[in-house]
Amino acid sequence: MLQAGIVGLPNVGKSTLFNAITATAKAESANYPFCTIEPNVGVVTVPDARLYKIQDLVKTQVVIPTAFEFVDIAGLVKGASKGEGLGNQFLHNIREVDAIIQVVRCFDDENTIHVAGKIDPLDDIEVINTELALADLSTVEKRKARIAKQVKAKEKEALLEDIVLDKVQNLLEGCTFFSTESFTDEEKIVLKGLHLMCSKPVIYAANVSEADLATGNDYVKKVQEYAQKNGAGVVIISAQIESELVDLSEEEKKEYLSDLGVESSGVERMIKSVYDLLGLRTYITAGEKEVRAWTITAGDKAPAAAGVIHTDFEKGFIKAEVIGYEDFIACGSHAKAREAGKARLEGKEYVVQDGDIMTFRFAN
């Protein structure tokens, strides 16, 4: 299951957002630092209206969207890597995640204390990035010490890892997230095994007041400019609004959001941004038993897509029947799509497209 880690300074709206994402009250939300004492993990389904349109056609009662896991950790403060606040004891909880969502305060409210005593989103970003980079540097230094003997003995794997560690060390001196583009494919495998936080894709969730949700504000513009320079994503959200949407019906949500001048919730846009940032796609299996979404990486071929369901599907892959989403909706069923010539058999080299409705043929 895909994971995103939620980080940020205390009182930026992290736990409020987490509660809204998971529609639970697992994370206590209060106006004081460190109210999240233990890491919170919540699972949310990925919104996909296509599944329910297909459900109406195939007459099934079961729809299984793909899922996303969010990990919310205690608010970090300046000096966390050296033990300030709650220290970096919770950082290991986000080392395994696929992407990091950094919640940044972009609203003024004299009733909500800011840990630094002022509102400055770029300064907040710098504090968090520095603490994550320092924690990663500690990991790199420990790893270098651990493989020192193997490097001295000129063991091939250790020499490669040492090259990667040196590259990472230089990049982390900038105390920010870094791109993995300068690493070879072989080096990327080593890098992945290090589970460094600063090598992960990042999205800045600019948390604004209700009044600024549709258009943003000057704080948001600064975050957007920073993100553009650093290859990151930005989503404007209002954690308070998201928490209010939890108790509304779908129709009420649409009406409420429309009145605010936005088409979809911040949570939906955030999940979509994570998918875009990670280069993810969805294909669908549909029948009387269930309609189900499956997550793959852009560029995956049919056997790899089959393997997401079960490794035996990939090993024994023969062919895949593929119907495009729009064609399926227009035809109304697998049988009618076949009659109309819209269903096609694809082999091992077929690159799966987002929304493809697939049926696999495989050898046992």
Side-chain angles (χ1 to χ4, degrees):
M1 186 183 299
L2 288 162
Q3 283 189 325
I6 304 177
V7 300
L9 294 174
N11 289 347
V12 297
K14 278 193 318 90
S15 293
T16 303
L17 178 61
F18 176 82
N19 289 341
I21 287 171
T22 58
T24 71
K26 284 174 65 180
E28 180 189 3
S29 181
N31 183 26
Y32 55 88
F34 316 125
C35 60
T36 309
I37 303 302
E38 293 295 336
N40 291 272
V41 179
V43 177
V44 62
T45 57
V46 177
D48 193 337
R50 297 174 299 187
L51 302 179
Y52 301 96
K53 290 182 180 179
I54 295 171
Q55 178 191 24
D56 290 340
L57 297 175
V58 300
K59 310 299 182 187
T60 182
Q61 296 299 311
V62 182
V63 174
I64 306 176
T66 189
F68 210 103
E69 191 170 271
F70 289 88
V71 182
D72 175 38
I73 68 166
L76 297 172
V77 294
K78 193 170 185 177
S81 59
K82 296 177 181 177
E84 293 296 325
L86 290 173
N88 61 6
Q89 59 183 299
F90 298 109
L91 293 180
H92 69 275
N93 294 301
I94 59 170
R95 289 197 182 280
E96 302 288 336
V97 302
D98 300 288
I100 289 177
I101 295 171
Q102 190 175 144
V103 182
V104 185
R105 179 168 168 174
C106 293
F107 64 89
D108 292 305
D109 182 357
E110 61 184 22
N111 295 316
T112 303
I113 306 159
H114 189 286
V115 70
K118 62 176 181 177
I119 310 301
D120 186 341
L122 296 190
D123 187 55
D124 292 357
I125 288 171
E126 185 180 345
V127 169
I128 295 296
N129 288 354
T130 298
E131 295 309 319
L132 296 182
L134 290 173
D136 279 347
L137 269 172
S138 177
T139 298
V140 170
E141 288 164 1
K142 288 175 184 175
R143 188 62 193 165
K144 279 183 75 70
R146 199 170 294 138
I147 66 169
K149 287 183 180 178
Q150 292 97 309
V151 171
K152 195 172 182 180
K154 298 192 182 301
E155 292 182 15
K156 186 179 177 182
E157 288 184 6
L159 288 170
L160 175 62
E161 185 171 354
D162 198 49
I163 290 170
V164 173
L165 291 170
D166 283 341
K167 275 190 177 183
V168 169
Q169 203 163 22
N170 288 332
L171 289 166
L172 288 174
E173 285 175 0
C175 287
T176 188
F177 285 77
F178 62 85
S179 169
T180 61
E181 290 179 5
S182 63
F183 293 82
T184 66
D185 289 342
E186 196 177 23
E187 289 172 345
K188 283 178 183 176
I189 294 171
V190 176
L191 181 62
K192 188 175 182 181
L194 295 171
H195 301 296
L196 300 175
M197 293 171 288
C198 288
S199 66
K200 300 180 186 298
V202 62
I203 290 174
Y204 295 104
N207 188 16
V208 300
S209 64
E210 176 182 325
D212 294 326
L213 184 58
T215 58
N217 55 32
D218 289 340
Y219 294 138
V220 173
K221 287 176 184 174
K222 289 180 180 179
V223 175
Q224 289 172 329
E225 288 170 4
Y226 177 89
Q228 188 172 11
K229 289 177 184 175
N230 291 277
V234 178
V235 175
I236 301 173
I237 59 117
S238 171
Q240 190 57 47
I241 293 298
E242 296 300 321
S243 67
E244 292 172 8
L245 292 175
V246 168
D247 297 322
L248 301 181
S249 68
E250 286 303 312
E251 283 303 313
E252 288 171 331
K253 283 181 186 177
K254 286 180 183 177
E255 187 176 342
Y256 189 16
L257 291 170
S258 178
D259 289 343
L260 293 173
V262 293
E263 293 182 2
S264 58
S265 75
V267 171
E268 288 181 11
R269 285 181 278 113
M270 194 161 63
I271 292 173
K272 184 179 184 303
S273 292
V274 172
Y275 262 63
D276 290 343
L277 201 62
L278 294 174
L280 302 177
R281 302 290 183 268
T282 299
Y283 78 86
I284 302 163
T285 53
E288 292 180 3
K289 183 181 176 183
E290 66 183 27
V291 173
R292 185 164 183 165
W294 304 89
T295 301
I296 58 172
T297 301
D300 276 356
K301 294 180 180 179
V308 174
I309 298 176
H310 198 287
T311 52
D312 288 348
F313 281 30
E314 183 171 8
K315 291 174 184 174
F317 178 88
I318 299 173
K319 292 282 185 182
E321 182 186 67
V322 182
I323 305 169
Y325 170 75
E326 296 295 343
D327 289 334
F328 190 90
I329 296 300
C331 294
S333 70
H334 285 90
K336 289 180 180 178
R338 291 180 193 120
E339 288 173 12
K342 298 298 183 181
R344 59 192 190 278
L345 286 178
E346 299 286 0
K348 292 182 178 181
E349 294 304 309
Y350 176 69
V351 177
V352 180
Q353 302 300 303
D354 188 68
D356 276 350
I357 296 162
M358 305 187 74
T359 305
F360 297 104
R361 299 179 183 178
F362 65 99
N364 292 321

